[in-house]
């Protein structure tokens, strides 16, 4: 088996004395879309922060391309080309759409700036229409698109997405997930996706993990998880989109 | 009822009635509030006894003023504001307005006007008469413009609330004062040195406050400003404490001509001009003008460079910055250092201009005034800040000129004492009328194709 792009080994993360992650193991291979589903408060965002160094693991290891990044500062991890669209999108509200994209490209020294912006505009045509607009005045869906596009501007090897569907209309969710699918297919972009919207996430991804109370309780190919009666009962029934 | 309100004459009448009613209440409230404060005053008589003095006349004047003010607010100001707001709302949906000639060439016009300011003033008021205008107004305002532009880098761009900015001004001033007195170094050597030293202190301050934001940061920077001042007061052997350092050397024209009366290369002697202190002030005016120009140029350039963009992004969202690979530690430190450097330059200039520095010039109030100018100008906008400095500093200087006020309020009325009151009033007024400051819109720095006219949509809040 080839070396995974990202490995989370037995990670334990604490907020003070409260343990939010207990012994989490996750692997993401190059070119895969992997999702992590779980209820609100399960520890999904905590895992994201642990991977990108914002809330480092107290024990266990995070490996990226085989290198230990467990205690690296966030900005250095980002420079390894792990880009993320964090929880809450965190776009730069007072800056224009173009300026936001420019901030995303700051690692690339602006060399491919124009070319990459055009790619983003093809991926999300709504952003092109609004390129001169202040990002804070965008709709929720457009802000999410901008957040993803800004992350992509760094030409990432791994894209981390924390609940991109949160608070969006089903049609917009569909557009965004379709864009991720296209990206993965055409550029072999590796994506690690965290979602409460289990149905949409499992449909999009190749493999999935289920997290409950800071522990991974199940994992496997997304198709199997989708068919699993336990998961259907816990995450899918009544919540169809 | 609804029919009558559409008739403009009726509407006007209703407005006046409401204005009178509100004015009456304002009168009552101010009467209640001022009776004790202003109507009565304790004083000592010849036998050192405490007596009550009544000032009903003054009380009546103030109450009437309050009533008139409230009436005008209701009848004139508020309808006008409402009309303007609705006009703007309809205009915002149309195309962006094309700026007029003055707006487009604002910088060029301002630079020419400033360059011509000293000769025009001299020809109007004569050599000696020009002193007041060039020094008290011109130089004084430009110092504040420079300080506010420097602070703007920290507060306006990087979003780090700094209440102790005057500390760097002090570091610059004392660097020049002490190094020129003890080592005889010239202004032009010490000017960059003062900037570097202030920047160094900016980094020193930066380190402990790196993890702080918002109000916590403000409190620590406030303390830092006070610490610097207390050191200046108490380190008597070096700084001469509260006496201050006097007899600081004047700046020279790059060592070619001096403004020392006794020097052989005195400026006036070299050109066979009559002796006057005005030459030095005019020279200083151009020096501070050049310093301001440098500050503006650097600010504008930095804003479109990666570090400037990182500052602005930092102001918006620190966590997002880190996830984009920006080192927030160095970004903050460079903001502190750059802002402090300009404070240091301004301080060295201040020393050369006054010939005397003491801790009294660097109290917290100065930081507050500089910050107020930045906020009033609309954080981040150089033009807005310059306007705010002119209004605030020029306005308060003008108070000294308003001798006719003595005729109204009595001979012992000193308008300067009301400086801060008026400053505060002006600030409240501006913030009510223009909550984002004089120039609240932010000019984008990134454009893909052509530079689009900036429409109103940049300045409006989002509707998510
Ligand atoms: N900053 C924090 N301080 C303390 N506890 C936190 C903090 N952030 C999250 N938690 C707790 O950690 C657990 C996991 O939270 P989170 O990772 O945000 O869940 P999810 O993203 O799956 O909804 C929750 O119980 C939450 O209350
Ligand atoms: Mg979450």
């Amino acid at each position: 088996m080839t070396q995974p792009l990202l490995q989370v080994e037995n990670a334990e993360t604490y907020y003070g004395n409260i343990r939010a992650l207990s012994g989490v193991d996750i692997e993401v291979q190059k070119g895969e879309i992997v999702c992590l589903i779980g209820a609100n408060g399960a520890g999904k965002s905590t895992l994201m922060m642990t991977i990108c160094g914002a809330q480092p693991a107290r024990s266990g290891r995070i490996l990226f391309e085989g290198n230990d990044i467990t205690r690296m500062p966030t900005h250095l991890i980002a420079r390894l080309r792990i880009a993320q669209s964090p929880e809450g999108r965190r776009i730069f509200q007072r800056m224009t759409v173009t300026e936001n994209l420019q901030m995303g490209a700051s690692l690339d020294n602006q060399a491919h700036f124009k070319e990459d912006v055009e790619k983003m505009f093809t991926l999300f045509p709504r952003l092109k229409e609004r390129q001169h607009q202040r990002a804070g005045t965008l709709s929720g869906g457009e802000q999410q698109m901008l957040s993803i596009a800004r992350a992509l501007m760094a030409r990432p090897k791994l894209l981390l997405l924390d609940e991109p569907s949160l608070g969006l209309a089903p049609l917009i969710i569909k557009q965004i997930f379709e864009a991720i699918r296209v990206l993965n297919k055409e550029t072999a972009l590796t994506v690690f996706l965290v979602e409460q919207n289990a149905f949409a996430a499992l449909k999009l991804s190749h493999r999935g993990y289920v997290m409950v109370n800071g522990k991974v309780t199940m994992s496997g190919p997304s198709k199997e998880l989708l068919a699993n009666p336990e998961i259907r009962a816990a995450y899918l029934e009544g919540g169809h989109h | 009822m609804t029919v009558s309100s559409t008739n403009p004459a009726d509407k006007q009448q209703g407005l006046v009635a409401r204005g009178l009613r509100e004015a009456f209440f304002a009168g009552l409230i101010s009467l209640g509030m001022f009776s004790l404060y202003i109507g009565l005053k304790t004083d000592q008589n010849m036998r050192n006894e405490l007596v009550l003095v009544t000032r009903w006349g003054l009380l009546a004047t103030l109450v009437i003023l309050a009533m008139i003010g409230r009436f005008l607010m209701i009848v004139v100001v508020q309808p006008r504001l409402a009309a303007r707001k609705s006009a703007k709302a309809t205009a915002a949906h149309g195309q962006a307005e094309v700026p007029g000639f003055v707006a487009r060439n604002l910088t060029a016009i301002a630079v020419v006007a400033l360059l011509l300011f000293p000769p025009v003033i001299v020809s109007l008021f004569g050599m000696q008469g020009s002193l007041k205008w060039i020094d008290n107004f011109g130089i004084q305002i430009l110092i504040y413009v420079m300080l506010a532009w420097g602070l703007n880098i920290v507060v306006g761009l990087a979003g780090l609330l700094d209440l102790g900015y005057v500390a760097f001004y002090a570091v610059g001033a004392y660097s020049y004062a002490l190094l020129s007195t003890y080592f005889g170094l010239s202004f032009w050597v010490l000017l960059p040195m003062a900037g570097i030293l202030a920047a160094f202190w900016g980094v020193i301050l930066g380190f402990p406050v790196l993890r702080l934001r918002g109000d916590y940061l403000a409190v620590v920077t406030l303390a830092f400003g006070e610490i610097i001042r207390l050191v200046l007061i108490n380190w008597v052997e070096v700084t001469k404490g509260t006496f201050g350092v006097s007899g600081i050397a004047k700046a020279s024209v790059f060592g070619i001509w001096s403004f020392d009366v006794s020097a052989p290369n005195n400026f006036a002697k070299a050109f066979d001009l009559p002796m006057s202190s005005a030459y030095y002030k005019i020279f200083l005016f151009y020096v501070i003008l050049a310093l301001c120009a440098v500050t503006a140029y650097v600010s504008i350039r930095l804003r479109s460079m990666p570090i400037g963009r990182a500052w602005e992004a930092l102001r918006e969202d620190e966590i997002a910055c880190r996830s984009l690979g920006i080192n927030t530690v160095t970004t903050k430190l460079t903001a502190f250092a750059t802002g402090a450097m300009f404070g240091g330059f301004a301080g060295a200039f201040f020393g050369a201009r006054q010939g005397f520095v003491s801790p009294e010039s660097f109290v917290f109030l100065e930081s507050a005034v500089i910050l107020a100018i930045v906020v009033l100008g609309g954080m981040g906008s150089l033009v807005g800040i310059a306007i705010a400095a002119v209004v605030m500093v020029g306005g308060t200087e003008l108070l000294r000129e308003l001798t006719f006020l003595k005729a109204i309020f009595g001979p012992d009325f000193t308008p300067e004492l009301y400086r801060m009151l008026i400053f505060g009033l002006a600030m409240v007024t501006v913030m009510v009328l223009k909550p984002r400051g004089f120039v609240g819109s932010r000019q984008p720095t990134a454009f893909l194709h052509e530079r689009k006219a900036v429409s109103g949509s940049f300045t409006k809040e989002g509707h998510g």
Side-chain angles (χ1 to χ4, degrees):
Chain A
M1 208 171 140
T2 57
Q3 181 189 47
L5 187 65
L6 177 76
Q7 284 167 281
V8 179
E9 288 179 353
N10 201 19
E12 309 238 322
T13 302
Y14 289 75
Y15 293 108
N17 287 325
I18 303 161
R19 184 162 64 185
L21 294 184
S22 10
V24 173
D25 286 293
I26 275 172
E27 269 184 23
V28 180
Q29 300 286 341
K30 246 187 208 126
E32 261 190 324
I33 302 182
V34 174
C35 78
L36 173 76
I37 59 175
N40 195 8
K44 306 182 297 296
S45 297
T46 305
L47 177 61
M48 280 300 199
M49 288 194 271
T50 299
I51 293 171
C52 74
Q55 191 68 43
R58 194 173 287 181
S59 63
R61 290 197 309 168
I62 317 289
L63 303 176
F64 182 68
E65 296 182 312
N67 301 316
D68 193 337
I69 60 166
T70 318
R71 284 183 226 317
M72 235 190 229
T74 305
H75 69 273
L76 293 183
I77 292 179
R79 289 178 194 181
L80 300 174
R81 295 185 189 272
I82 300 180
Q84 61 165 327
S85 160
E87 183 168 42
R89 297 158 196 155
R90 294 191 173 273
I91 52 161
F92 301 120
Q93 307 259 340
R94 286 187 67 189
M95 297 185 164
T96 65
V97 168
T98 313
E99 284 175 308
N100 267 275
L101 295 176
Q102 197 176 32
M103 289 312 302
S106 41
L107 289 182
D108 226 40
N109 225 347
Q110 316 287 329
H112 316 276
F113 181 62
K114 281 202 170 161
E115 181 190 336
D116 287 1
V117 168
E118 289 307 329
K119 271 189 218 157
M120 291 309 126
F121 286 164
T122 329
L123 196 64
F124 300 114
R126 312 248 311 234
L127 293 183
K128 180 167 189 163
E129 292 161 28
R130 287 161 172 70
Q131 54 179 303
H132 299 293
Q133 199 171 318
R134 231 156 54 94
T137 63
L138 297 177
S139 74
E142 289 157 358
Q143 293 195 9
Q144 185 60 59
M145 293 175 192
L146 180 58
S147 177
I148 296 174
R150 184 182 66 182
L152 289 170
M153 288 299 287
R155 299 198 158 188
K157 291 176 181 165
L158 172 64
L159 177 65
L160 306 175
L161 299 174
D162 194 341
E163 301 217 37
S165 77
L166 194 69
L168 302 184
L171 190 69
I172 307 284
I173 299 179
K174 222 170 174 177
Q175 280 176 14
I176 290 177
F177 277 34
E178 177 59 21
I180 297 169
R181 200 186 57 77
V182 169
L183 268 177
N184 170 262
K185 204 163 179 194
E186 290 179 357
T187 66
L189 176 72
T190 314
V191 180
F192 182 54
L193 168 74
V194 156
E195 263 298 343
Q196 256 189 84
N197 186 339
F199 185 70
L202 289 171
K203 284 284 249 202
L204 172 71
S205 57
H206 304 120
R207 287 191 305 114
Y209 292 86
V210 180
M211 181 175 265
V212 179
N213 279 335
K215 284 193 189 75
V216 172
T217 54
M218 243 185 281
S219 65
S222 298
K223 279 202 189 95
E224 285 173 24
L225 291 178
L226 261 177
N228 184 311
E230 239 180 282
I231 289 181
R232 294 197 73 89
Y235 299 103
L236 302 176
E237 303 292 295
H240 271 267
H241 291 286
Chain B
M1 282 317 277
T2 44
V3 180
S4 71
S5 71
T6 51
N7 180 342
D10 280 4
K11 204 170 159 187
Q12 189 61 32
Q13 215 168 23
L15 202 62
V16 170
R18 194 165 76 90
L20 287 175
R21 203 168 53 236
E22 298 251 349
F24 175 70
F25 287 126
L28 273 187
I29 292 172
S30 52
L31 184 67
M33 273 172 57
F34 294 155
S35 302
L36 292 179
Y37 292 122
I38 290 164
L40 300 174
K41 188 182 170 217
T42 53
D43 223 336
Q44 278 172 334
N45 68 6
M46 300 281 280
R47 276 163 291 158
N48 250 356
E49 292 165 339
L50 211 56
V51 290
L52 265 186
V53 183
T54 54
R55 300 189 291 183
W56 302 129
L58 186 59
L59 176 65
T61 315
L62 286 174
V63 169
I64 289 170
L65 273 181
M67 290 173 71
I68 293 176
R70 185 68 195 162
F71 181 76
L72 289 179
M73 186 75 195
I74 296 288
V75 177
V76 183
V77 180
Q78 280 185 354
R80 221 174 264 159
L81 284 182
R84 216 176 48 190
K85 209 174 199 174
S86 63
K88 228 182 212 166
T90 45
H93 295 292
Q95 71 287 34
E97 66 253 51
V98 180
F101 174 79
V102 176
R104 266 180 291 138
N105 300 297
L106 192 65
T107 319
I109 294 172
V111 168
V112 171
L114 283 168
L115 285 175
L116 292 180
F117 181 72
V120 168
I121 292 292
V122 168
S123 61
L124 282 180
F125 300 97
M127 260 310 170
Q128 231 32 52
S130 72
L131 267 180
K132 184 178 81 189
W133 294 100
I134 292 177
D135 193 27
N136 292 4
F137 284 87
I139 296 179
Q140 184 76 0
I141 290 174
L142 286 176
I143 288 181
Y144 277 96
V145 168
M146 177 162 181
L147 286 170
W149 280 350
L151 181 61
N152 177 51
I153 292 176
V154 185
V155 179
L157 293 187
L160 304 163
L161 186 50
D162 183 351
L163 290 183
Y165 189 63
V166 78
F168 307 121
Y169 189 37
V171 167
Y174 270 87
S175 302
Y176 177 60
L178 297 176
L179 293 174
S180 81
T181 323
Y182 289 123
F183 301 104
L185 296 172
S186 87
F187 177 75
W188 296 106
V189 174
L190 288 178
L191 181 69
M193 206 122 94
I196 291 169
L197 282 171
F200 170 74
W201 282 102
V203 174
I204 298 279
L205 167 67
F207 266 112
V209 302
L210 279 175
R211 300 173 138 271
L212 306 177
R213 273 198 84 75
D215 24 14
Y216 299 100
L217 176 69
V219 169
V220 177
T221 53
L222 173 68
F224 182 78
E226 285 304 289
I227 290 170
I228 294 271
R229 196 172 62 87
L230 291 175
V231 167
L232 293 178
I233 290 178
N234 290 304
W235 197 10
V236 180
E237 306 89 81
V238 176
T239 65
K240 306 215 172 67
T242 45
F243 287 116
V245 185
S246 54
I248 304 169
K250 288 177 173 170
S252 67
V253 189
F254 306 108
I256 305 170
W257 297 295
S258 155
F259 291 97
D260 274 332
V261 186
S262 53
N265 59 344
N266 180 283
F267 184 82
K269 280 185 206 156
F271 291 89
D272 272 337
L273 296 165
M275 279 292 176
S276 164
S277 55
Y279 305 126
Y280 186 49
K281 297 297 178 194
I282 294 173
F283 168 67
L284 285 182
F285 179 86
Y286 284 116
V287 171
I288 186 71
L289 189 58
L291 285 173
C292 281
V294 169
T295 315
Y297 179 77
V298 171
S299 300
I300 292 168
R301 282 309 310 249
L302 284 177
R303 247 201 86 201
S304 56
M305 278 161 59
I307 182 66
R309 282 201 299 266
W311 287 338
E312 284 202 85
L314 190 70
R315 177 190 67 201
E316 306 282 305
D317 196 320
E318 201 173 328
I319 294 174
C321 278
R322 266 188 234 122
S323 78
L324 294 175
I326 293 169
N327 185 343
T328 51
V329 171
T330 51
T331 307
K332 279 187 194 178
L333 287 181
T334 46
F336 270 118
T338 315
M341 181 182 73
F342 288 116
F345 287 153
F349 175 83
F350 175 80
R353 173 213 186 194
Q354 303 292 95
F356 167 73
V357 293
S358 81
E360 237 171 84
S361 310
F362 308 107
V363 291
F364 167 66
L365 191 63
E366 289 297 313
S367 291
V369 167
I370 302 165
L371 183 65
I373 291 173
V374 175
V375 174
L376 284 179
M379 307 239 232
S381 158
L382 296 186
V383 175
I385 289 170
I387 296 173
V390 171
V391 172
M392 290 293 146
V393 182
T396 48
E397 281 303 314
L398 264 184
L399 281 178
R400 289 184 221 281
E401 310 295 315
L402 302 179
T403 38
F404 70 89
L405 284 176
K406 287 201 201 299
I408 303 172
F409 292 102
D412 43 329
F413 179 79
T414 32
E416 294 99 290
L417 295 182
Y418 291 82
R419 190 172 154 244
M420 274 300 131
L421 180 69
I422 292 175
F423 202 102
L425 268 180
M427 196 154 171
V428 171
T429 314
V430 173
M431 286 290 117
V432 168
L433 299 181
K434 302 205 109 200
R436 285 158 179 273
F438 286 126
V439 181
S441 60
R442 165 180 177 279
Q443 291 285 334
T445 56
F447 297 92
L448 285 176
H449 312 289
E450 76 286 26
R451 211 185 159 95
K452 280 262 170 69
V454 180
S455 72
S457 53
F458 287 119
T459 57
K460 274 202 306 194
E461 268 317 319
H463 27 258

